Amino acid sequence: MNTLRNSTITGWGFYAPERVVTNDELAERLDTSDEWIRTRSGIGERHIAGPDEFTSTMSVRAAERAMERAGITAHDLDLILVATSSPDYLTPPVSSQIQDMLGADRAGAMSLVVGCTGFVYAVVTAHQFIATGAASTVLVIGAETISRNLNWEDRSTCVLFGDGAGAVVMQPTEQEAGVMAHVLGSDGSGAEHLIQNSGGTRNPPTAESIAAGDNYLQMNGREVFKFATTKMGESLDQVLAQAGITADDIDLFIPHQANARIIEYAAQKAGIPMEKVVMNVERYGNTSAATIPIALAEAFEAGRIKPGDTLALVGFGAGLTWAACLFQLAAEPIAPSRRRKHQHPAVEGFIA
Ligand code: UT7
């Protein structure tokens, strides 16, 4: 019988569009204020894709950085997983566009549509492929161009979101590492709380539905807030119990970045001090499936993550869905199949 393998993260990268839109800029054309947005959500600014930027192109930028850090080429990839709810097209899947743009000639590619929770689902999925030996080098991306799905006249949604992409490379290791515990949750009865009513096959876009703004993201903020605070705490408790560890054993908590108040509430409830929490919602807003990989990549770049660390990734979003994952990084460098000559200094300690 085959034994299961462990996995670890060997590369990371992110990309945020150059264009930054501040709260004050939004307040010039909407009935809102920097004060309201900061107090209610903790958001100060967000990056918005330029006319030539798409989920595919931003993903490629993030992926190229992650592959460079891992010391691999696109040819080394066995599988590409892309978590997004704002693909370039409904068909074909954006994962195939990304595979082609990267030149990943050996890789299978698929998209996961799990709202803001998608990246955590994708990391857990990548781990299963690596654990079983079905794939060895997996590129996991979370990317969104959510600005194009927003009604920019609806102050209750448009001020909250931003665009961007984050990516990690996951590879097998013989050390104790990988997904220690996970919870993948779904409650479709809450679908109406976060929905784009038109644009799919149930309500194909018509002149009327477009005029009514049904193709834009609509959100019942209060309901999602209640759901998020409950599920973040519950799912974190569940994975800690599964792994047989306590919140003290978490080195870094990397939650979905939708609202600073939700993050602070979850951290406080779990007893995790804020210095162990990654929070960048102030600078990016809610980039949906991209928040966790962007936060993760920023934490790696800032030297906040050490080899052997235990990371807690917790997401929630449309569906409604939620997911939590405790991920232990390999303590010793792993030897990747290929390594570039000039390694970025931040990767020292993560790969041989
Ligand atoms: O990624 C997952 C998806 N999203 C989320 O996780 C979001 C979860 N929800 C939230 O973060 C919060 O509920 C919000 C930030 C969306 C809203 O905060 P809140 O404290 O729940 O505010 P509220 O919805 O209760 O609205 C308070 C008031 C309302 O006015 P009335 O009805 O009290 O007169 C809104 O009309 O604030 C008004 N309002 C605004 N005012 C100024 C709503 N949006 C704005 C705005 N500027 N942009």
Side-chain angles (χ1 to χ4, degrees):
M1 204 177 89
N2 290 337
T3 47
L4 291 177
R5 302 192 297 178
N6 298 327
S7 72
T8 192
I9 295 171
T10 53
W12 54 86
F14 75 97
Y15 175 78
E18 217 171 282
R19 170 97 165 92
V20 173
V21 176
T22 63
N23 292 344
D24 284 333
E25 200 177 332
L26 291 177
E28 282 170 20
R29 51 190 176 78
L30 275 174
D31 181 15
T32 190
S33 65
D34 177 57
E35 202 266 333
W36 191 96
I37 301 169
R38 277 183 195 276
T39 319
R40 301 295 177 125
S41 70
I43 297 165
E45 58 191 30
R46 71 286 294 143
H47 294 247
I48 299 295
D52 297 329
E53 289 184 306
F54 310 100
T55 297
S56 60
T57 59
M58 292 192 292
S59 294
V60 165
R61 300 283 290 265
E64 283 174 343
R65 286 179 201 188
M67 292 193 299
E68 190 187 335
R69 301 284 190 269
I72 62 161
T73 68
H75 180 72
D76 297 319
L77 295 173
D78 298 312
L79 182 65
I80 300 171
L81 302 178
V82 183
T84 186
S85 296
S86 47
D88 292 19
Y89 307 100
L90 285 182
T91 300
V94 73
S95 42
S96 290
Q97 286 171 267
I98 295 165
Q99 168 272 316
D100 180 51
M101 289 158 81
L102 289 173
D105 53 352
R106 296 177 42 250
M110 63 171 149
S111 298
L112 287 85
V113 186
V114 200
C116 302
T117 319
F119 183 76
V120 185
Y121 265 74
V123 165
V124 172
T125 305
H127 175 78
Q128 312 307 315
F129 273 90
I130 293 172
T132 57
S136 284
T137 299
V138 184
L139 175 65
V140 187
I141 298 172
E144 303 280 5
T145 318
I146 206 159
S147 62
R148 305 227 169 93
N149 293 344
L150 298 172
N151 177 352
W152 285 95
E153 286 170 10
D154 174 8
R155 66 177 186 173
S156 71
T157 52
C158 74
V159 304
L160 302 171
F161 294 93
D163 300 329
V168 295
V169 173
M170 288 172 58
Q171 293 183 293
T173 172
E174 286 174 5
Q175 303 168 54
E176 275 301 305
V179 174
M180 302 162 69
H182 71 265
V183 168
L184 303 180
S186 169
D187 177 6
S189 71
E192 65 189 355
H193 298 314
L194 196 40
I195 191 164
Q196 272 176 258
N197 261 310
S198 163
T201 54
R202 187 158 185 151
N203 297 312
T206 59
E208 292 75 31
S209 68
I210 289 171
D214 286 348
N215 52 316
Y216 293 126
L217 192 71
Q218 290 163 13
M219 181 173 71
N220 181 340
R222 279 180 212 183
E223 281 303 320
V224 178
F225 192 97
K226 274 193 276 176
F227 153 78
T229 45
T230 311
K231 286 299 175 193
M232 289 261 271
E234 271 179 22
S235 57
L236 196 52
D237 287 348
Q238 284 167 358
V239 288
L240 288 171
Q242 262 182 48
I245 64 173
T246 70
D248 288 346
D249 300 313
I250 294 173
D251 294 298
L252 208 58
F253 176 36
I254 309 176
H256 173 44
Q257 311 280 316
N259 186 317
R261 288 188 293 148
I262 296 175
I263 295 172
E264 283 160 0
Y265 178 85
Q268 193 195 12
K269 192 144 186 303
I272 303 171
M274 285 311 285
E275 56 273 18
K276 282 189 176 184
V277 181
V278 181
M279 187 149 79
N280 63 11
V281 67
E282 201 266 338
R283 288 176 287 118
Y284 297 104
N286 180 350
T287 57
S288 189
T291 69
I292 293 178
I294 292 175
L296 181 63
E298 274 203 337
F300 268 115
E301 290 296 310
R304 289 185 74 184
I305 300 178
K306 303 176 302 304
D309 272 359
T310 298
L311 312 176
L313 313 179
V314 185
F316 60 88
L320 298 169
T321 54
W322 63 95
C325 156
L326 291 175
F327 197 102
Q328 188 184 346
L329 294 165
E332 300 293 331
I334 72 156
S337 53
R338 252 166 244 213
R339 188 184 161 194
R340 291 216 177 131
K341 231 175 168 183
H342 304 290
Q343 208 64 257
H344 187 277
V347 299
E348 266 170 39
F350 290 96
I351 63 172

